[in-house]
């Protein structure tokens, strides 16, 4: 098979992408540093940065003294070049956030969702959230909207979301949003993967080449990062860690199978286990409030303490499986339930992982909490259009936010 011929245009885009990415993640940097770090010639760096400067994508960021010569000008990506929106469609609500290109958060809105929301309700809340965050930024240029969803995403001519735990089967989410009036570029991915990208870019995963970023909330998932790239599998459904079997013939999971890890460490599974032992509900208006109440009760209630200790044990065993399978250097625990559990029980979780993992790979793996908090999925979703910009070398045109159904998104 003949190899693809590299054109001048391909080379130009590669150089733009390489320099832009280096400035985005490691800037500000001088032209001399860019040449050293990328291996590009000084002339190429000078020409490409001049182009990017004329397009206002990069800007000067002060000067640094050089060895005996004139001070060197530092360059960085200009945060004001454009904006991105990130959307977290969770099982209990929709979070929509607006960022500048440096990922400074400019606006946030939250809308609740009913249990197992139908696609139309989710779309309505997303479009409403976009209108709200764009209020006051009507003249802003927008790179696109990234969306994290609680299910697997089938990429193709039509983007389809498969989320059986909320009753979604091949939902054409992008088409539904476009029909609702959203005309901006849309990027959709699994929420665990968007959280993973956020933690790898800006959070607890930064600097690691091999990592697993776990999301534990109502559902359970993971982003497996190997050699700096998220592993997706043949149809992009890799990372469904919550639906690996932890107990053969065990508790029924929402997916219909028996013994899934999610049925033991997902918030609903933990609360159900307490309810079965105690014979009554945990007080609280919703799942998150009930989970918080269970954690608080553990200092007084032996039943609550035992259920949470078991949960930490199951989570540790699940982490051991990840260590044995993928040999990561770092495991990051995120998601609202994962962060709450980890803040209280991280030593127990680490201990349980050590009891079940092979000794040598376990000794080389750190287990820690995510650092981006409850915004990680939305933040990661917002990086999807940024990643596209960096990959393309910023050759795409920006759009103005128009609003869904009323000229605003």
């Amino acid at each position: 098979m003949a190899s693809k011929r590299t054109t001048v245009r391909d080379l130009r885009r590669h150089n733009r992408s390489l320099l832009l990415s280096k400035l985005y993640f490691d800037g500000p940097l001088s032209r001399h540093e860019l040449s050293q770090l990328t291996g590009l010639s000084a002339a190429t760096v000078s020409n490409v940065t001049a182009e990017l400067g004329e397009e206002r994508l990069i800007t000067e960021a002060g000067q640094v003294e050089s060895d005996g010569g004139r001070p060197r000008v530092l360059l960085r990506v200009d945060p004001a070049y454009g904006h991105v929106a990130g959307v977290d469609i969770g099982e209990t609500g929709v979070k929509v956030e607006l960022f500048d290109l440096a990922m400074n958060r400019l606006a946030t809105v939250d809308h609740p969702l009913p249990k197992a929301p139908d696609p139309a309700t989710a779309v309505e809340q997303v479009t409403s959230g976009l209108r709200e965050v764009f209020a006051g930024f009507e003249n802003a240029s927008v790179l696109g909207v990234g969306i994290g969803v609680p299910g697997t995403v089938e990429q193709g001519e039509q983007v389809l979301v498969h989320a059986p735990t909320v009753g979604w089967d091949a939902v054409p989410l992008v088409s539904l949003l476009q029909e609702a009036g959203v005309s901006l570029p849309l990027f959709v991915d699994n929420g665990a993967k968007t959280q993973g990208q956020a933690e790898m870019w800006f959070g607890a995963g930064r600097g690691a080449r091999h990592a697993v970023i776990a999301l534990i909330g109502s559902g359970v998932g993971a982003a497996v990062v190997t050699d700096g790239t998220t592993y997706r599998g043949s149809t992009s459904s890799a990372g469904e860690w919550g639906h690996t079997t932890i107990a053969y013939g065990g508790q029924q999971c929402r997916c219909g199978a028996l013994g899934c890890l999610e049925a033991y460490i997902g918030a609903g599974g933990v609360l159900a286990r307490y309810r079965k032992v105690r014979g009554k509900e945990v007080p609280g208006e919703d799942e998150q409030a009930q989970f918080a109440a269970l954690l608080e009760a553990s200092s007084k209630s032996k039943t609550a303490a035992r259920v949470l200790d078991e949960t930490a044990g199951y989570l540790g065993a699940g982490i051991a499986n990840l260590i044995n399978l993928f040999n990561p250097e770092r495991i990051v625990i995120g998601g609202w339930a994962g962060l709450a559990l980890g803040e209280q029980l991280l030593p127990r979780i680490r201990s349980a992982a050590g009891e079940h993992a092979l000794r040598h790979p376990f000794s080389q793996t750190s287990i820690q909490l995510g650092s981006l908090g409850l915004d990680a999925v939305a933040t990661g979703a917002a990086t999807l259009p940024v990643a596209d910009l960096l990959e393309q070398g910023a050759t795409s045109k920006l759009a103005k936010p128009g609003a869904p159904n009323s000229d605003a998104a």
Side-chain angles (χ1 to χ4, degrees):
M1 181 177 177
S3 60
K4 181 182 177 182
R5 182 179 177 184
T6 301
T7 65
V8 173
R9 182 178 180 181
D10 293 333
L11 184 60
R12 176 175 175 270
R13 189 176 77 172
H14 168 77
N15 292 341
R16 285 171 62 97
S17 175
L18 183 60
L19 291 172
L20 192 59
S21 297
K22 186 58 66 175
L23 285 172
Y24 189 82
F25 292 112
D26 300 322
L29 296 167
S30 68
R31 291 177 178 83
H32 178 71
E33 290 172 317
L34 283 169
S35 180
Q36 289 185 317
L37 292 169
T38 63
L40 298 176
S41 69
T44 297
V45 170
S46 180
N47 290 336
V48 174
T49 55
E51 285 180 7
L52 296 173
E54 288 174 4
E55 295 166 21
R56 299 186 179 181
L57 212 155
I58 65 173
T59 187
E60 294 185 0
Q63 297 180 333
V64 63
E65 295 296 326
S66 63
D67 297 331
R70 295 167 54 187
R72 292 180 176 135
V73 174
L74 293 174
L75 303 173
R76 64 167 181 165
V77 173
D78 190 347
Y81 175 77
H83 295 74
V84 290
V87 179
D88 174 8
I89 300 179
E91 296 191 31
T92 59
V94 169
K95 180 186 289 290
V96 182
E97 299 189 323
L98 183 69
F99 302 83
D100 64 17
L101 193 53
M103 297 306 292
N104 296 306
R105 190 175 291 103
L106 305 175
T108 302
V109 298
D110 289 279
H111 289 296
L113 284 175
K115 192 171 183 179
D118 62 87
T121 300
V123 165
E124 181 182 351
Q125 298 292 30
V126 170
T127 55
S128 175
L130 288 172
R131 279 195 296 269
E132 292 177 61
V133 297
F134 283 133
F137 295 92
E138 289 82 0
N139 295 320
S141 295
V142 181
L143 299 171
V145 177
I147 303 170
V149 297
T152 62
V153 180
E154 181 182 348
Q155 304 287 354
E157 286 187 16
Q158 191 172 49
V159 177
L160 302 175
V161 178
H162 304 272
T165 56
V166 293
W168 290 16
D169 181 21
V171 172
L173 185 62
V174 168
S175 297
L176 293 176
L177 286 165
Q178 290 171 339
E179 290 169 8
V182 181
S183 58
L184 295 169
L186 295 170
F187 303 80
V188 183
D189 206 347
N190 169 263
K193 291 184 173 68
T194 68
Q195 175 193 261
Q197 183 151 294
E199 291 287 357
M200 293 299 294
W201 280 25
F202 310 114
R206 187 171 170 84
R209 296 296 297 171
H210 301 275
V212 179
I213 316 297
L215 185 151
I216 306 166
S218 299
V220 174
V224 178
V225 179
T226 176
D227 199 26
T229 301
T230 300
Y231 178 71
R232 295 183 171 277
S234 62
T235 59
S236 203
S237 71
E240 287 297 325
W241 176 52
H243 300 291
T244 57
T245 302
I246 198 72
Y248 177 75
Q251 293 177 189
Q252 185 164 30
C253 179
R254 296 181 301 166
C255 72
L258 300 177
C260 290
L261 181 64
E262 182 178 300
Y264 292 84
I265 69 170
V270 176
L271 293 170
R273 211 161 64 250
Y274 174 84
R275 186 166 56 246
K276 182 177 179 180
V277 175
R278 187 69 172 171
K280 64 178 183 179
E281 293 280 357
V282 181
E285 60 184 14
D286 56 28
E287 196 171 72
Q288 293 193 36
Q290 290 178 324
F291 199 78
L294 181 63
L295 286 165
E296 186 177 353
S298 64
S299 61
K300 308 170 194 174
S301 165
K302 290 182 180 180
T303 302
R306 185 168 72 252
V307 168
L308 290 173
D309 182 71
E310 289 173 353
T311 301
Y314 285 122
L315 175 53
I319 288 173
N321 288 339
L322 294 173
I323 292 172
N324 293 341
L325 280 169
F326 300 109
N327 185 208
E329 62 193 276
R330 194 175 305 169
I331 288 181
V332 177
I333 300 172
W336 63 266
L339 291 172
L341 275 172
E343 286 170 5
Q344 192 162 313
L345 295 166
L346 190 57
R348 169 69 177 116
I349 293 167
R350 286 177 174 149
S351 174
E355 293 167 5
H356 292 86
L358 292 171
R359 182 177 58 82
H360 181 64
F362 174 76
S363 70
Q364 297 180 316
T365 305
S366 67
I367 302 171
Q368 59 197 79
L369 298 183
S371 62
L372 299 181
L374 303 183
D375 293 319
V377 173
T379 300
T383 68
L384 299 179
V386 177
D388 183 69
L389 174 85
L390 299 178
E391 183 180 350
Q392 299 301 322
T395 56
S396 57
K397 295 182 179 180
L398 298 177
K400 298 290 183 182
N405 300 322
S406 62
D407 304 323

